[in-house]
Structures are given as C-alpha cells and as structure tokens.
Amino acid sequence: MLTLNKLVIASNNPGKLREIAAILAPLKIEVLPQAAFGVPEAEEPHCTFVENALAKARHASRLTGLPALADDSGVCVHALGGEPGVHSARYAGTADAVDRETQDRLNNEKLLQALAGTDDRSAHYCCVIVLVRHADDPQPLIAEAEWHGEILEVPRGNGGFGYDPFFLIPELGRTGAELAAAEKNALSHRGRALAVLVQRLRELPQD
Ligand code: IMP
C-alpha cells in the first residue's frame, strides 16, 4: 500500500468531514481538514463530479504541499433531468452569507417545489472521490459510487446532513437521516466510493 502518513481533506463541509474521517479511521493516517491550513473553498466550475473533485483535490494539495483527498457529490433527481446534481450544495442560490443549516433547508424547499405534482420521485446520490499525491499528480486515484432512493414530501430523522431527511432508501423504509452514522457509511455513495478508493490504495506498490 502507498505510504501515506498525512492527508488533507479538501472540504469545509462538516457533514462530509465527519463521514470521511470515520471511514478512513482504520487506516491510521493523520487526516486533517483543509481549514486547519487556512485553505479556502476551491472554485467548482465544472459540469461533472470528477472534474470538480479533481479541482478541489489539486487546490488543497497545492496550498498545503500534502496529498489531498476530495469528494464531489450531489443528489441527482431523475424527474429533474439529474438536477441538482453538481449544483446540490448551492441549489437554492450561492448564499455565502447563510449558515449551512439554512442553506440545506432552502435547498430542500426548492427541491420539494420542483417536484410538486410529480409522480416519479426516484433519485440517486453520486459521489466521486479523488486522491492526489501531489498537486500535479498525473495519476490521481479516482473512485465513484451511487446510492439510490426516493425523495419524500415530509422530512424524517435527525442524522446525516443535506438532503438526507428527504432521501428514503426503499429497501430499509428509512431515510438517510434515520440511519446511524456507521450504517449510513456502510451503504452510502460516499462510504462505498471511499471503500473502493481504500482498496485501490492497498493494491498500489509500496513507495
Ligand atoms: P459539494 O461540496 O459540491 O460536493 O456538494 C455536495 C452537496 O451534495 C452537499 O452540500 C449536499 O447538499 C449534497 N450531498 C452530498 N452527499 C450528501 C449526503 O450524503 N447526504 C445529504 N446530502 C448530500
């Protein structure tokens, strides 16, 4: 496995940071959020998750001099042609001034309005994880996973973050926000993408 002692996580989203840190904990790598180095949010100008994840990872690695891991993710609602998709974080507007809870609430309100009167409420979360060993790494490690469900009209549960209270997993009859943290990490787009990435890391030759 590639020798990694320290890894910066290219995110300022506390929900994501919590989940990523918990999933990577068994690897015994020192995992630090980019905020610990004063790294500001990177621009996410691209129309694909993978391009945005790469941009975030390279940005964090360039500013810290460390290997960096980024997640770009979002909820793709089928009746909306895949929206909000890569725009999920700021679906209801850019709103730098509002806190994350308010942003999540406004995003969910906008999603419910967009789906009003629609029978097809199927959706999937998508997560692309990218790990760069240095800012110009020509061979980033990339892993992707989806998590399928349906958008409810009424929220349920207090766990998770973002769209989770409205995201029902039909096989479980529970929303993402009704799952314990470990349960969500075992099933979710982020948890499974990270598991693939960890496997890729294990398969790399030792430095
Ligand atoms: P990013 O920071 O541009 O990748 O934005 C990801 C956004 O997608 C988050 O801010 C949430 O709105 C949404 N999202 C991604 N993953 C999840 C999840 O696991 N639960 C709920 N919302 C999520």
Side-chain angles (χ1 to χ4, degrees):
M1 179 163 162
L2 169 76
T3 313
L4 272 181
N5 302 319
K6 232 185 210 187
L7 190 60
V8 57
I9 309 297
S11 176
N12 293 330
N13 178 327
K16 271 190 193 181
L17 287 169
R18 207 171 38 241
E19 292 182 5
I20 293 170
I23 295 164
L24 296 182
L27 290 185
K28 309 271 184 268
I29 299 171
E30 192 181 351
V31 171
L32 299 158
Q34 64 179 12
F37 301 88
V39 176
E41 295 272 10
E43 295 291 319
E44 298 181 40
H46 304 293
C47 59
T48 65
F49 293 105
V50 67
E51 288 170 292
N52 285 329
L54 260 172
K56 288 191 269 190
R58 292 200 194 284
H59 172 80
S61 184
R62 187 159 288 119
L63 294 182
T64 60
L66 288 171
L69 181 144
D71 152 319
D72 200 57
S73 49
V75 65
C76 303
V77 179
H78 304 162
L80 304 178
E83 281 296 305
V86 292
H87 307 115
S88 294
R90 308 223 166 173
Y91 184 44
T94 49
D96 275 328
V98 304
D99 58 76
R100 208 165 284 272
E101 245 172 57
T102 308
Q103 182 74 48
D104 286 347
R105 183 174 51 74
L106 295 174
N107 285 341
N108 281 312
E109 280 172 15
K110 179 166 176 184
L111 183 57
L112 291 194
Q113 275 165 18
L115 280 176
T118 309
D119 288 336
D120 178 8
R121 303 188 70 95
S122 63
H124 66 270
Y125 280 125
C126 175
C127 176
V128 176
I129 301 279
V130 166
L131 189 152
V132 294
R133 287 155 277 199
H134 56 86
D136 298 316
D137 191 344
Q139 291 189 287
L141 294 180
I142 300 177
E144 175 168 358
E146 293 181 1
W147 197 21
H148 287 255
E150 287 166 20
I151 305 298
L152 292 178
E153 288 176 7
V154 178
R156 285 167 30 185
N158 300 310
F161 66 96
Y163 298 88
D164 283 342
F166 290 92
F167 189 81
L168 177 77
I169 303 100
E171 314 86 86
L172 301 179
R174 286 184 284 161
T175 68
E178 290 178 304
L179 302 181
E183 221 176 349
K184 180 181 171 192
N185 289 341
L187 298 171
S188 77
H189 50 315
R190 183 166 302 99
R192 286 182 302 107
L194 276 165
V196 172
L197 188 99
V198 168
Q199 189 51 37
R200 299 243 162 93
L201 271 174
R202 289 189 198 287
E203 286 163 7
L204 283 178
Q206 293 277 347
D207 274 357

